Amino acid sequence: MVNGMVGSFQLMKSLNKSLILNVIRTEGPISRAEIAKKTNLTPPTVTNIVGELLESNLVVESDLGNSTGGRKPIMLRINSTAFQVIGIDVAISHIRVIAITLDAQIIQSLKIKLPSNLTNEILLDLLIDAVNQIIQKADLQQQNIIGIGVGMHGLVNPDEGVSIYAPNLHLRQIPIRQALEEAFQIPVEVENDARAMALGESWFGNGQGVENSVSIYVGMGVGAGIILNHKLYRGASHTAGEMGHTTVDANGPKCSCGNYGCLEALVAGPAIVARTQTALREGRESIILQLAEGDFDKISGEIVYQAALQADPLALEILRDTGRYLGIGIANIINTLNPQKVIIGGGVSKSGEFILEALREQVQRRSLETPCQAVTIETAKLGGHATAIGAATLILRNLFAPEFS
Ligand SMILES: [Zn+2]
C-alpha cells in the first residue's frame, strides 16, 4: 500500500475486526450473540467492533431474527452494495475490467483491445484509462472503491505488485501496483491470472468451502492456481502452479518455454490449432476447413469446437486427444497434491463435454486409487469473468480474511 494512504479500510489492521466481518459475510444475517459464539470473542468486544463496522457502513442492521425466547435479536449483514472493487484481467489480446459489489456481483464490465505496439508505459496508461472508464460507466464514487485487483498472465511478484515477465506481450518489470496506486490512491494487488482465477473460484465459484483445490486455466496458455488450506499457494519465488510446463510427453512438440512435450504445448488453444492444421494438411476429411472459409490461418479452437458440435470426426478426435493429455497432467497433480477438487477454466473448458470423458478416463487410469476417489473434477463456474473476479477477490481477501493474504 502507498505510504500515508488514507481511507476507512486501514481499519482492517485489527484481526478481530476482520474476523467478525468475515463471520458476518459467510453466516449473515447474524446476531451479535451468534457472532460472539462463533468467534469466541466476548459480547462487549463484539458490540464494540460491530459499532465501528456499522459506523464505517460496511455492515448494516437488517430485519429481526428468530428469538429463542425474549426479545428478537437484531441481525447484521454486509452492506454489499455500498462499496465496490475493481478487477482487471490482462490477457494476451485484450484487457477485461469489471466493477463488483462486496459479494462479487458484477456492476459493469468492459473489454479493451490491446494494441500491438505495447510498451510498459502504454500498458500502464491503458490500465489507468480502463479504471477511469469503469468508474464512469458504473458511476462509482472513488471513496467507495476499496481497491483494484489485477490478474496478469506470466510471472508476477505479488509482494511487489510487479509483472516480472509477460511472455505474450514481450514486456518485463511492469510496476503495475505503483502506477495504479499513484493514479487512484487506493490499494492495488497484482497476481498471476491463473492464481487469481483459482482464488475467485475458491471464494465465489465451484471451489467455495473447499479446503484444497486446484484450478487449471486452459486457454492461449495453461496455468494453475493451487489452494492449500483455503490459502493461495505461491511457492518460493511466485511460480507455483506453472503446470503448463510440466512434461506429459517426453517426445512431444516444442513448447514456448523451449522444453518439449509440456502440457501447454499439447492442450492450449494454439496446440489444438496446430494439431488440426497438421491433420488437414495430411489430407484428413473434415468440415473444419470449410468452417474456416478454406483458410488454414483462420482455424481456431472455437472453430474446432463448432465442428465437434456437428459431430465432425477429426474435431472430436482432436478434442478427445486434448482431454487425454489434460487428464495425464491432472493425474500428476492429483497424485502430488491430493486435492478435493480440480476445476478447469479458460476457453478450452467450453468444450468440456468433448474433453471431459477422455480426461476422466486418464485420471482413473493414472492417479492412485485413494486420491482419485477423493477428487471431483468440474468446469469453472465464473466463466469468462473468472480472472477479473479473482483479481478483485485479492482485495476482498485483504478486507475479510487478511490472515489468508
Ligand atoms: Zn513449456
Side-chain angles (χ1 to χ4, degrees):
M1 214 182 278
V2 168
N3 271 342
M5 188 176 289
V6 288
S8 47
F9 300 99
Q10 294 269 21
L11 91 193
M12 291 311 138
K13 274 177 185 158
S14 155
L15 219 58
N16 283 344
K17 203 177 275 184
S18 59
L19 180 65
I20 289 176
L21 197 57
N22 206 30
V23 167
I24 300 173
R25 180 182 79 87
T26 54
E27 315 266 339
I30 185 171
S31 69
R32 287 170 177 79
E34 278 294 311
I35 294 172
K37 232 184 270 173
K38 299 242 177 218
T39 57
N40 284 328
L41 296 169
T42 65
T45 304
V46 170
T47 300
N48 271 340
I49 293 178
V50 164
E52 288 173 43
L53 291 171
L54 287 168
E55 205 169 310
S56 69
N57 204 26
L58 267 171
V59 167
V60 284
E61 291 180 337
S62 65
D63 44 344
L64 301 176
N66 293 323
S67 170
T68 50
R71 219 154 46 103
K72 283 186 174 184
I74 296 166
M75 305 299 273
L76 301 157
R77 62 173 176 81
I78 300 293
N79 195 5
S80 300
T81 54
F83 298 93
Q84 301 85 32
V85 182
I86 292 172
I88 308 179
D89 169 12
V90 184
I92 291 162
S93 59
H94 64 271
I95 314 174
R96 196 188 286 273
V97 194
I98 58 168
I100 62 168
T101 58
L102 298 186
D103 54 356
Q105 300 303 311
I106 296 174
I107 305 162
Q108 277 292 351
S109 72
L110 57 94
K111 203 172 162 181
I112 298 163
K113 206 173 150 23
L114 286 172
S116 52
N117 60 335
L118 268 186
T119 62
N120 286 5
E121 289 68 31
I122 293 175
L123 179 67
L124 291 173
D125 284 346
L126 271 172
L127 290 176
I128 290 168
D129 187 51
V131 172
N132 278 321
Q133 277 191 52
I134 200 85
I135 288 174
Q136 264 193 346
K137 200 174 169 199
D139 198 18
L140 307 181
Q141 304 296 316
Q142 195 149 329
Q143 71 268 21
N144 294 337
I145 304 169
I146 293 182
I148 303 167
V150 181
M152 176 88 194
H153 75 271
L155 292 185
V156 170
N157 179 340
D159 296 332
E160 308 284 334
V162 170
S163 158
I164 300 169
Y165 180 43
N168 292 293
L169 301 177
H170 312 290
L171 299 179
R172 287 175 191 275
Q173 300 295 338
I174 318 166
I176 297 176
R177 172 185 288 158
Q178 194 194 344
L180 290 177
E181 284 191 345
E182 273 172 17
F184 298 100
Q185 300 293 309
I186 48 177
V188 175
E189 293 284 342
V190 187
E191 187 46 283
N192 167 268
D193 58 352
R195 286 204 297 258
M197 181 191 97
L199 187 70
E201 282 292 322
S202 161
W203 276 56
F204 300 110
N206 280 333
Q208 273 183 82
V210 178
E211 205 175 327
N212 302 300
S213 64
V214 179
S215 288
I216 304 168
Y217 176 90
V218 187
M220 291 298 284
V222 177
I226 301 162
I227 303 284
L228 295 180
N229 303 320
H230 298 291
K231 192 174 171 175
L232 191 59
Y233 177 68
R234 290 167 171 172
S237 50
H238 320 296
T239 71
E242 284 293 343
M243 193 186 155
H245 302 290
T246 54
T247 306
V248 291
D249 178 2
N251 302 311
K254 192 168 185 184
C255 180
S256 61
C257 73
N259 196 0
Y260 289 86
C262 291
L263 183 61
E264 180 170 300
L266 291 158
V267 306
I272 293 175
V273 170
R275 272 209 305 284
T276 306
Q277 288 168 335
T278 305
L280 290 173
R281 289 207 167 94
E282 285 167 356
R284 282 287 304 268
E285 292 278 335
S286 166
I287 59 165
I288 293 173
L289 199 54
Q290 191 188 322
L291 291 176
E293 294 161 346
D295 185 348
F296 274 82
D297 293 334
K298 277 194 182 157
I299 294 169
S300 64
E302 175 66 27
I303 283 178
V304 176
Y305 170 65
Q306 292 300 332
L309 283 177
Q310 297 179 45
D312 179 71
L314 177 62
L316 290 171
E317 183 188 310
I318 299 265
L319 292 179
R320 245 193 332 266
D321 286 346
T322 304
R324 201 159 52 82
Y325 290 124
L326 200 50
I328 296 172
I330 289 174
N332 291 339
I333 208 107
I334 288 171
N335 284 343
T336 310
L337 291 175
N338 186 198
Q340 286 140 280
K341 268 203 187 180
V342 170
I343 298 165
I344 303 164
V348 171
S349 66
K350 246 177 67 181
S351 316
E353 55 190 303
F354 300 115
I355 63 171
L356 281 177
E357 196 187 325
L359 186 157
R360 291 206 165 96
E361 196 184 296
Q362 291 301 314
V363 167
Q364 287 279 343
R365 185 182 305 175
R366 293 172 193 270
S367 62
L368 297 169
E369 199 182 336
T370 305
C372 185
Q373 281 172 351
V375 75
T376 313
I377 300 169
E378 290 177 6
T379 51
K381 186 181 169 187
L382 302 178
H385 287 114
T387 297
I389 290 174
T393 308
L394 296 162
I395 300 293
L396 295 174
R397 182 183 62 179
N398 292 349
L399 179 67
F400 291 107
E403 70 274 24
F404 289 121
S405 296

